Amino acid sequence: MKYIWKAIMVVVWAVCMANCQNEDYLQDGGKHNPYYNGTILDYLEQHPDKHYFSELADLIRYAGLDTVLQNDEITFFAPTDWSIDMSMDYLNHQLYWMMGEDSIKDLHQIRPEVWKEYLSMYIIPGKYCLKDIPQLDTAAVSAYPGGAYYSLAKVPMNMGVVYYDAAGVKYAGARQILYSYVYDFATMDMVNAYVSSCDIQPYNGVVHVIRFIDHYFGFDRDRFLERVVNAGILPLEQVRRQSEDSFQVKKEGGL
């Protein structure tokens, strides 16, 4: 079912992009309320479409980052479950076909410290809405480079707002946040992730949702693969035993 949902969402995204080329859709629907009555983690766990963030929310707890997303003031660039699945599909393909290793059947086979390291790349301390982020022009980065920030993982990232052209007027069109992992700031060699929904504001910060169609979780899928393999992959039987033990403890604690 997961892959069926992926295919459906790809089709929906393509239709939406086609419709966006038609200016007939430009009707003022009024202002939408950007505020969410809960924490960032609440927003992810209570999202009406469970196929967006269910894996993400589970991994946040597994990695021990739940207190950060509940209590700290942060900007969270939320990768969807589809982005996680894309990286896992690539990882499993490489493991099985290139390395002759068993594929990963459960996300908890990847060690929690690896998930913590990579999830922390998507967290910027402090609250940054679109209006707070400097302009980025990917064709003129010397003039409009965006802004350099360190993520919670102490990894250099770049946040910038792309100003699109409209009716032949430069920078007069729609604006979109670009969040990037930077290899080298001197050359602006980086891997970009486009934001599809921005400025969702729970109690403790802001959420920008990353467009899933072209984003691999971890930005660099080969780097993510290398980190997973070097850390060691947990046996599936061990993960299942731990899950059963955890369930039993919770069950007994509730009695």
Side-chain angles (χ1 to χ4, degrees), residues 75-252:
T75 298
F76 185 49
F77 289 87
T80 65
D81 289 354
W82 287 283
S83 290
I84 295 171
D85 292 342
M86 284 169 60
S87 284
M88 291 305 303
D89 289 344
Y90 177 77
L91 190 154
N92 279 331
H93 180 273
Q94 297 297 105
L95 283 175
Y96 188 80
W97 294 105
M98 305 303 293
M99 302 180 186
E101 303 287 344
D102 289 338
S103 58
I104 294 173
K105 305 293 193 304
D106 189 309
L107 295 176
H108 291 199
Q109 288 181 258
I110 297 175
R111 295 181 182 274
E113 60 267 27
V114 176
W115 287 120
K116 183 176 183 178
E117 176 184 334
Y118 275 84
L119 286 167
S120 295
M121 291 176 66
Y122 295 87
I123 301 172
I124 299 291
K127 180 178 179 179
Y128 296 92
C129 292
L130 183 146
K131 65 179 178 60
D132 305 313
I133 301 172
Q135 183 178 353
L136 169 67
D137 186 337
T138 55
V141 290
S142 59
Y144 300 105
Y149 302 83
Y150 276 101
S151 69
L152 190 66
K154 306 302 181 186
V155 172
M157 308 297 292
N158 195 75
M159 287 193 292
V161 176
V162 177
Y163 289 49
Y164 293 101
D165 300 343
V169 180
K170 196 168 184 60
Y171 303 143
R175 300 179 182 182
Q176 184 175 27
I177 299 174
L178 196 61
Y179 186 59
S180 310
Y181 167 61
V182 183
Y183 294 111
D184 185 353
F185 272 110
T187 60
M188 291 301 282
D189 180 17
M190 53 193 181
V191 182
N192 299 323
Y194 285 87
V195 167
S196 59
S197 299
C198 71
D199 286 4
I200 303 157
Q201 297 177 56
Y203 293 149
N204 62 312
V206 60
V207 177
H208 306 300
V209 180
I210 292 178
R211 187 173 72 187
F212 73 88
I213 194 71
D214 52 5
H215 177 68
Y216 283 89
F217 176 82
F219 293 88
D220 185 331
R221 60 186 186 177
D222 290 303
R223 180 175 173 271
F224 178 60
L225 166 65
E226 182 180 3
R227 181 69 178 89
V228 169
V229 172
N230 288 343
I233 298 170
L234 298 174
L236 181 60
E237 293 74 17
Q238 178 182 335
V239 170
R240 286 175 173 170
R241 267 197 317 272
Q242 291 173 342
S243 179
E244 291 171 358
D245 292 344
S246 176
F247 175 77
Q248 187 63 30
V249 169
K250 290 180 180 179
K251 182 179 179 181
E252 291 173 356

